[in-house]
Amino acid sequence: MTLLLGVALGGRTVLLVGGGEVAGRRARRLLDEGARVRVVAPRLDPVLADLAARGRITWTPRTYRRRDLRGAWLVHAATGRPAVDRQVAADCERRRLLCTNASQAGHGTARLAAQTTAGDVAVGVVSAVGADPRRSMAVRDGISLLLAEGALPLQPRRPAASGSVALVGGGPGPLDLLTVRARRLLAEADVVVADRLGPGEAVAEILGARTRIIPVGKHPGHHPVPQAEINRILVEEASAGHRVVRLKGGDPFVLGRGGEEYTACLAAGIAVDVVPGITSAIAVPQAAGIPVTQRGTATALHVVSGHDALGPLGASPATLAALADPAVTTIVLMGVAALPGLVGAALEHGVPAARPVAVVENGHTPQQRTTRTTLGEAERAVREAGVRSPAVVVIGEVAREGLLLPVPLTAPAAGTATPGPTTPRELIT
Ligand code: SAH
């Protein structure tokens, strides 16, 4: 039978007997753990030779002698010669030293586990009886995946030594559009400070029972929590030693004020990390079948907030230039209220009234709805459809209905109506 131990090897000497490939792999792993590695072997394989040349390990270039065991906490026998490995194991036994033995002939007194870590959790897998390293690795890989996805109960039971904040991009809404890293951080969190947009409070169903959710998004009939107050909550919770996830819609650094939250944490001396998310600027048009760039149609992207697209001086020169360029797609977030003003400015600037416009509400949710129109018609179409926030406005040739439909290979017979897409042939390459 086998008792798994977590051994702290930092600064402690481990002796590797043998200089081959297996010993090389072990050396790397032991060095990662902070161990001091000594190798006894007449020759070294390239990995070990390189480590020795760089002074990362010490090398005694000869065959094994019993006195090599002096000073070691752990010994690994991997000479490729079962008789020598057995001898090393027997010498260790006599000296009550733990010994791992890589040879098929015997297993020494210890075995290295197939190991994986997720955050600060380490999991090791060994066979209780005998050895089957490939199976141990397969089991390890399975557990590793579950840990990475946050599918296991990772929430710590003891307070962290110090609190922290992770600014996590939650994507446009569905839980399966969260990144794997976001899932793990959510599983580990003590506190989740959630927006309304993106996954919002729906993450409750994947959180540990003890995780608290603090909603700070705007709810119907409620005022949004002011940014300064959100910053204060983040700092206060982390200062109390909590692992805080600030779950934001889309990506934290795309028109989401993530930068301000980051700075507020730094200013308060709080450890802060950022996890990217799928931004609605790209994913919401995509949900409506609109590629934000398309070879031969649009090769650049201009993303702007509706609040800023129309400053006191009207639309910014950069936005007007983007709108005027048929090869640029303009994406407006928070743009429903600003749309009429923006359309007026664009038309005045000489942007063709026929420029396609699509407005996608509630992308990636069951309430998703797309309104297709043109610049000239946009104000009326959006009013008549009763378009509401949250919505992403797409202005540009990629918003043309049927852009991605295949063009018929054979020309229709003369006199018949043209079936299929409305996309002009020259827009597809
Ligand atoms: N950081 C976020 C954007 C925050 S600004 C991101 O990267 O996605 C908020 C705006 O995002 C909304 O006003 C709307 O324009 C857009 N938005 C976010 N989620 C949306 C969704 N599911 N459907 C439509 N628009 C959405």
Side-chain angles (χ1 to χ4, degrees), residues 172 197 249-251 254-256 279-281 284 332-335 360-363 365 389-392:
L197 284 176
D251 184 276
V254 177
L255 299 176
T279 178
S280 64
V284 168
V332 192
L333 300 188
M334 299 171 273
V360 188
E361 298 165 81
N362 298 304
T365 75
S389 185
V392 172

PDB file of all heavy atoms in Angstrom, residues 172 197 249-251 254-256 279-281 284 332-335 360-363 365 389-392, ligand 1:
ATOM      1  N   PRO A 172     -20.216  37.428 -23.362  1.00  0.00           N
ATOM      2  CA  PRO A 172     -21.488  38.103 -23.623  1.00  0.00           C
ATOM      3  C   PRO A 172     -22.674  37.545 -22.835  1.00  0.00           C
ATOM      4  O   PRO A 172     -23.743  38.136 -22.880  1.00  0.00           O
ATOM      5  CB  PRO A 172     -21.698  37.866 -25.121  1.00  0.00           C
ATOM      6  CG  PRO A 172     -20.932  36.631 -25.429  1.00  0.00           C
ATOM      7  CD  PRO A 172     -19.753  36.613 -24.484  1.00  0.00           C
ATOM      8  N   LEU A 197     -24.662  42.823 -17.148  1.00  0.00           N
ATOM      9  CA  LEU A 197     -24.387  42.305 -18.488  1.00  0.00           C
ATOM     10  C   LEU A 197     -23.453  41.098 -18.402  1.00  0.00           C
ATOM     11  O   LEU A 197     -22.813  40.870 -17.394  1.00  0.00           O
ATOM     12  CB  LEU A 197     -23.729  43.381 -19.356  1.00  0.00           C
ATOM     13  CG  LEU A 197     -24.677  44.456 -19.876  1.00  0.00           C
ATOM     14  CD1 LEU A 197     -23.898  45.515 -20.639  1.00  0.00           C
ATOM     15  CD2 LEU A 197     -25.749  43.845 -20.771  1.00  0.00           C
ATOM     16  N   GLY A 249     -18.983  41.993 -17.875  1.00  0.00           N
ATOM     17  CA  GLY A 249     -19.487  41.543 -19.167  1.00  0.00           C
ATOM     18  C   GLY A 249     -18.393  41.690 -20.219  1.00  0.00           C
ATOM     19  O   GLY A 249     -17.577  42.608 -20.156  1.00  0.00           O
ATOM     20  N   GLY A 250     -18.360  40.778 -21.168  1.00  0.00           N
ATOM     21  CA  GLY A 250     -17.398  40.889 -22.262  1.00  0.00           C
ATOM     22  C   GLY A 250     -15.968  40.790 -21.787  1.00  0.00           C
ATOM     23  O   GLY A 250     -15.618  39.908 -21.020  1.00  0.00           O
ATOM     24  N   ASP A 251     -15.159  41.741 -22.208  1.00  0.00           N
ATOM     25  CA  ASP A 251     -13.755  41.801 -21.802  1.00  0.00           C
ATOM     26  C   ASP A 251     -13.569  42.965 -20.835  1.00  0.00           C
ATOM     27  O   ASP A 251     -14.128  44.042 -21.048  1.00  0.00           O
ATOM     28  CB  ASP A 251     -12.871  42.010 -23.053  1.00  0.00           C
ATOM     29  CG  ASP A 251     -11.401  41.991 -22.686  1.00  0.00           C
ATOM     30  OD1 ASP A 251     -10.877  43.045 -22.271  1.00  0.00           O
ATOM     31  OD2 ASP A 251     -10.793  40.918 -22.799  1.00  0.00           O
ATOM     32  N   VAL A 254     -12.307  46.319 -22.499  1.00  0.00           N
ATOM     33  CA  VAL A 254     -12.959  46.907 -23.676  1.00  0.00           C
ATOM     34  C   VAL A 254     -14.172  47.693 -23.182  1.00  0.00           C
ATOM     35  O   VAL A 254     -15.184  47.109 -22.786  1.00  0.00           O
ATOM     36  CB  VAL A 254     -13.399  45.844 -24.696  1.00  0.00           C
ATOM     37  CG1 VAL A 254     -14.146  46.493 -25.870  1.00  0.00           C
ATOM     38  CG2 VAL A 254     -12.190  45.064 -25.222  1.00  0.00           C
ATOM     39  N   LEU A 255     -14.047  49.015 -23.151  1.00  0.00           N
ATOM     40  CA  LEU A 255     -15.140  49.906 -22.748  1.00  0.00           C
ATOM     41  C   LEU A 255     -15.857  49.398 -21.491  1.00  0.00           C
ATOM     42  O   LEU A 255     -17.080  49.466 -21.392  1.00  0.00           O
ATOM     43  CB  LEU A 255     -16.138  50.077 -23.900  1.00  0.00           C
ATOM     44  CG  LEU A 255     -15.536  50.700 -25.175  1.00  0.00           C
ATOM     45  CD1 LEU A 255     -16.587  50.747 -26.287  1.00  0.00           C
ATOM     46  CD2 LEU A 255     -15.006  52.105 -24.901  1.00  0.00           C
ATOM     47  N   GLY A 256     -15.066  48.892 -20.554  1.00  0.00           N
ATOM     48  CA  GLY A 256     -15.686  48.304 -19.357  1.00  0.00           C
ATOM     49  C   GLY A 256     -15.165  48.893 -18.062  1.00  0.00           C
ATOM     50  O   GLY A 256     -15.473  48.387 -16.992  1.00  0.00           O
ATOM     51  N   THR A 279     -15.322  39.662 -26.044  1.00  0.00           N
ATOM     52  CA  THR A 279     -15.983  40.963 -26.027  1.00  0.00           C
ATOM     53  C   THR A 279     -17.255  40.953 -26.878  1.00  0.00           C
ATOM     54  O   THR A 279     -17.294  40.348 -27.958  1.00  0.00           O
ATOM     55  CB  THR A 279     -15.034  42.083 -26.495  1.00  0.00           C
ATOM     56  OG1 THR A 279     -15.768  43.302 -26.503  1.00  0.00           O
ATOM     57  CG2 THR A 279     -14.479  41.839 -27.892  1.00  0.00           C
ATOM     58  N   SER A 280     -18.269  41.646 -26.396  1.00  0.00           N
ATOM     59  CA  SER A 280     -19.524  41.743 -27.146  1.00  0.00           C
ATOM     60  C   SER A 280     -19.308  42.485 -28.462  1.00  0.00           C
ATOM     61  O   SER A 280     -20.069  42.300 -29.414  1.00  0.00           O
ATOM     62  CB  SER A 280     -20.600  42.444 -26.310  1.00  0.00           C
ATOM     63  OG  SER A 280     -20.216  43.772 -26.040  1.00  0.00           O
ATOM     64  N   ALA A 281     -18.252  43.322 -28.528  1.00  0.00           N
ATOM     65  CA  ALA A 281     -17.989  44.089 -29.754  1.00  0.00           C
ATOM     66  C   ALA A 281     -17.816  43.142 -30.944  1.00  0.00           C
ATOM     67  O   ALA A 281     -18.166  43.489 -32.070  1.00  0.00           O
ATOM     68  CB  ALA A 281     -16.738  44.940 -29.571  1.00  0.00           C
ATOM     69  N   VAL A 284     -21.170  39.667 -30.347  1.00  0.00           N
ATOM     70  CA  VAL A 284     -22.605  39.930 -30.555  1.00  0.00           C
ATOM     71  C   VAL A 284     -22.931  40.051 -32.057  1.00  0.00           C
ATOM     72  O   VAL A 284     -23.876  39.417 -32.537  1.00  0.00           O
ATOM     73  CB  VAL A 284     -23.094  41.133 -29.710  1.00  0.00           C
ATOM     74  CG1 VAL A 284     -24.479  41.594 -30.139  1.00  0.00           C
ATOM     75  CG2 VAL A 284     -23.095  40.745 -28.235  1.00  0.00           C
ATOM     76  N   VAL A 332     -20.519  50.160 -32.472  1.00  0.00           N
ATOM     77  CA  VAL A 332     -20.850  51.099 -31.408  1.00  0.00           C
ATOM     78  C   VAL A 332     -21.453  50.326 -30.242  1.00  0.00           C
ATOM     79  O   VAL A 332     -22.494  49.667 -30.382  1.00  0.00           O
ATOM     80  CB  VAL A 332     -21.837  52.187 -31.886  1.00  0.00           C
ATOM     81  CG1 VAL A 332     -21.925  53.316 -30.858  1.00  0.00           C
ATOM     82  CG2 VAL A 332     -21.428  52.735 -33.252  1.00  0.00           C
ATOM     83  N   LEU A 333     -20.784  50.387 -29.088  1.00  0.00           N
ATOM     84  CA  LEU A 333     -21.348  49.818 -27.864  1.00  0.00           C
ATOM     85  C   LEU A 333     -22.061  50.945 -27.116  1.00  0.00           C
ATOM     86  O   LEU A 333     -21.691  52.109 -27.267  1.00  0.00           O
ATOM     87  CB  LEU A 333     -20.250  49.228 -26.973  1.00  0.00           C
ATOM     88  CG  LEU A 333     -19.397  48.109 -27.570  1.00  0.00           C
ATOM     89  CD1 LEU A 333     -18.496  47.504 -26.490  1.00  0.00           C
ATOM     90  CD2 LEU A 333     -20.258  47.016 -28.183  1.00  0.00           C
ATOM     91  N   MET A 334     -23.046  50.580 -26.320  1.00  0.00           N
ATOM     92  CA  MET A 334     -23.838  51.572 -25.576  1.00  0.00           C
ATOM     93  C   MET A 334     -24.334  52.628 -26.556  1.00  0.00           C
ATOM     94  O   MET A 334     -24.323  53.834 -26.262  1.00  0.00           O
ATOM     95  CB  MET A 334     -22.985  52.231 -24.469  1.00  0.00           C
ATOM     96  CG  MET A 334     -22.468  51.234 -23.451  1.00  0.00           C
ATOM     97  SD  MET A 334     -21.271  51.935 -22.294  1.00  0.00           S
ATOM     98  CE  MET A 334     -19.734  51.740 -23.190  1.00  0.00           C
ATOM     99  N   GLY A 335     -24.797  52.187 -27.725  1.00  0.00           N
ATOM    100  CA  GLY A 335     -25.033  53.131 -28.807  1.00  0.00           C
ATOM    101  C   GLY A 335     -26.481  53.389 -29.165  1.00  0.00           C
ATOM    102  O   GLY A 335     -26.746  54.129 -30.122  1.00  0.00           O
ATOM    103  N   VAL A 360     -27.959  44.674 -33.072  1.00  0.00           N
ATOM    104  CA  VAL A 360     -28.181  43.352 -32.472  1.00  0.00           C
ATOM    105  C   VAL A 360     -28.422  43.538 -30.979  1.00  0.00           C
ATOM    106  O   VAL A 360     -27.529  43.972 -30.242  1.00  0.00           O
ATOM    107  CB  VAL A 360     -26.976  42.422 -32.704  1.00  0.00           C
ATOM    108  CG1 VAL A 360     -27.311  41.004 -32.246  1.00  0.00           C
ATOM    109  CG2 VAL A 360     -26.543  42.438 -34.174  1.00  0.00           C
ATOM    110  N   GLU A 361     -29.639  43.233 -30.543  1.00  0.00           N
ATOM    111  CA  GLU A 361     -29.981  43.348 -29.121  1.00  0.00           C
ATOM    112  C   GLU A 361     -29.807  41.996 -28.438  1.00  0.00           C
ATOM    113  O   GLU A 361     -30.074  40.944 -29.041  1.00  0.00           O
ATOM    114  CB  GLU A 361     -31.465  43.749 -28.965  1.00  0.00           C
ATOM    115  CG  GLU A 361     -31.839  45.087 -29.565  1.00  0.00           C
ATOM    116  CD  GLU A 361     -33.361  45.211 -29.691  1.00  0.00           C
ATOM    117  OE1 GLU A 361     -34.026  45.540 -28.676  1.00  0.00           O
ATOM    118  OE2 GLU A 361     -33.874  44.958 -30.805  1.00  0.00           O
ATOM    119  N   ASN A 362     -29.417  42.057 -27.184  1.00  0.00           N
ATOM    120  CA  ASN A 362     -29.352  40.858 -26.335  1.00  0.00           C
ATOM    121  C   ASN A 362     -28.653  39.677 -27.013  1.00  0.00           C
ATOM    122  O   ASN A 362     -29.157  38.550 -26.996  1.00  0.00           O
ATOM    123  CB  ASN A 362     -30.760  40.437 -25.891  1.00  0.00           C
ATOM    124  CG  ASN A 362     -31.423  41.502 -25.060  1.00  0.00           C
ATOM    125  OD1 ASN A 362     -30.872  41.932 -24.043  1.00  0.00           O
ATOM    126  ND2 ASN A 362     -32.584  41.974 -25.510  1.00  0.00           N
ATOM    127  N   GLY A 363     -27.480  39.961 -27.594  1.00  0.00           N
ATOM    128  CA  GLY A 363     -26.754  38.908 -28.311  1.00  0.00           C
ATOM    129  C   GLY A 363     -26.444  37.716 -27.421  1.00  0.00           C
ATOM    130  O   GLY A 363     -26.179  37.869 -26.223  1.00  0.00           O
ATOM    131  N   THR A 365     -28.388  35.571 -26.224  1.00  0.00           N
ATOM    132  CA  THR A 365     -29.425  35.210 -25.246  1.00  0.00           C
ATOM    133  C   THR A 365     -30.666  34.790 -26.034  1.00  0.00           C
ATOM    134  O   THR A 365     -30.756  35.051 -27.243  1.00  0.00           O
ATOM    135  CB  THR A 365     -29.813  36.409 -24.338  1.00  0.00           C
ATOM    136  OG1 THR A 365     -30.635  37.304 -25.112  1.00  0.00           O
ATOM    137  CG2 THR A 365     -28.599  37.162 -23.817  1.00  0.00           C
ATOM    138  N   SER A 389     -31.502  48.905 -25.231  1.00  0.00           N
ATOM    139  CA  SER A 389     -30.184  48.487 -24.753  1.00  0.00           C
ATOM    140  C   SER A 389     -30.361  47.188 -23.933  1.00  0.00           C
ATOM    141  O   SER A 389     -31.424  47.013 -23.328  1.00  0.00           O
ATOM    142  CB  SER A 389     -29.637  49.608 -23.871  1.00  0.00           C
ATOM    143  OG  SER A 389     -28.346  49.327 -23.464  1.00  0.00           O
ATOM    144  N   PRO A 390     -29.423  46.268 -23.873  1.00  0.00           N
ATOM    145  CA  PRO A 390     -28.111  46.311 -24.504  1.00  0.00           C
ATOM    146  C   PRO A 390     -28.166  45.879 -25.964  1.00  0.00           C
ATOM    147  O   PRO A 390     -28.842  44.919 -26.308  1.00  0.00           O
ATOM    148  CB  PRO A 390     -27.304  45.299 -23.686  1.00  0.00           C
ATOM    149  CG  PRO A 390     -28.307  44.283 -23.249  1.00  0.00           C
ATOM    150  CD  PRO A 390     -29.591  45.047 -23.053  1.00  0.00           C
ATOM    151  N   ALA A 391     -27.463  46.635 -26.769  1.00  0.00           N
ATOM    152  CA  ALA A 391     -27.420  46.313 -28.188  1.00  0.00           C
ATOM    153  C   ALA A 391     -26.076  46.754 -28.747  1.00  0.00           C
ATOM    154  O   ALA A 391     -25.474  47.707 -28.261  1.00  0.00           O
ATOM    155  CB  ALA A 391     -28.548  47.025 -28.927  1.00  0.00           C
ATOM    156  N   VAL A 392     -25.633  46.035 -29.758  1.00  0.00           N
ATOM    157  CA  VAL A 392     -24.412  46.410 -30.469  1.00  0.00           C
ATOM    158  C   VAL A 392     -24.826  46.908 -31.854  1.00  0.00           C
ATOM    159  O   VAL A 392     -25.596  46.239 -32.551  1.00  0.00           O
ATOM    160  CB  VAL A 392     -23.434  45.225 -30.584  1.00  0.00           C
ATOM    161  CG1 VAL A 392     -22.253  45.574 -31.488  1.00  0.00           C
ATOM    162  CG2 VAL A 392     -22.931  44.826 -29.197  1.00  0.00           C
TER     163      VAL A 392
HETATM  164  N1  SAH B   1     -16.701  45.210 -21.680  1.00  0.00           N
HETATM  165  C1  SAH B   1     -17.862  44.881 -22.445  1.00  0.00           C
HETATM  166  C2  SAH B   1     -18.605  46.114 -22.931  1.00  0.00           C
HETATM  167  C3  SAH B   1     -19.245  46.919 -21.828  1.00  0.00           C
HETATM  168  S1  SAH B   1     -20.154  48.289 -22.419  1.00  0.00           S
HETATM  169  C4  SAH B   1     -17.493  43.973 -23.601  1.00  0.00           C
HETATM  170  O1  SAH B   1     -16.299  43.779 -23.884  1.00  0.00           O
HETATM  171  O2  SAH B   1     -18.408  43.390 -24.193  1.00  0.00           O
HETATM  172  C5  SAH B   1     -21.785  47.657 -22.415  1.00  0.00           C
HETATM  173  C6  SAH B   1     -22.289  47.528 -23.814  1.00  0.00           C
HETATM  174  O3  SAH B   1     -21.868  46.299 -24.357  1.00  0.00           O
HETATM  175  C7  SAH B   1     -23.782  47.492 -23.960  1.00  0.00           C
HETATM  176  O4  SAH B   1     -24.340  48.778 -23.919  1.00  0.00           O
HETATM  177  C8  SAH B   1     -23.932  46.863 -25.315  1.00  0.00           C
HETATM  178  O5  SAH B   1     -23.625  47.794 -26.322  1.00  0.00           O
HETATM  179  C9  SAH B   1     -22.830  45.862 -25.278  1.00  0.00           C
HETATM  180  N2  SAH B   1     -23.275  44.506 -24.871  1.00  0.00           N
HETATM  181  C10 SAH B   1     -22.764  43.754 -23.897  1.00  0.00           C
HETATM  182  N3  SAH B   1     -23.354  42.549 -23.854  1.00  0.00           N
HETATM  183  C11 SAH B   1     -24.267  42.551 -24.846  1.00  0.00           C
HETATM  184  C12 SAH B   1     -25.198  41.591 -25.343  1.00  0.00           C
HETATM  185  N4  SAH B   1     -25.289  40.371 -24.799  1.00  0.00           N
HETATM  186  N5  SAH B   1     -25.972  41.932 -26.392  1.00  0.00           N
HETATM  187  C13 SAH B   1     -25.865  43.131 -26.960  1.00  0.00           C
HETATM  188  N6  SAH B   1     -25.006  44.073 -26.526  1.00  0.00           N
HETATM  189  C14 SAH B   1     -24.224  43.789 -25.497  1.00  0.00           C
END
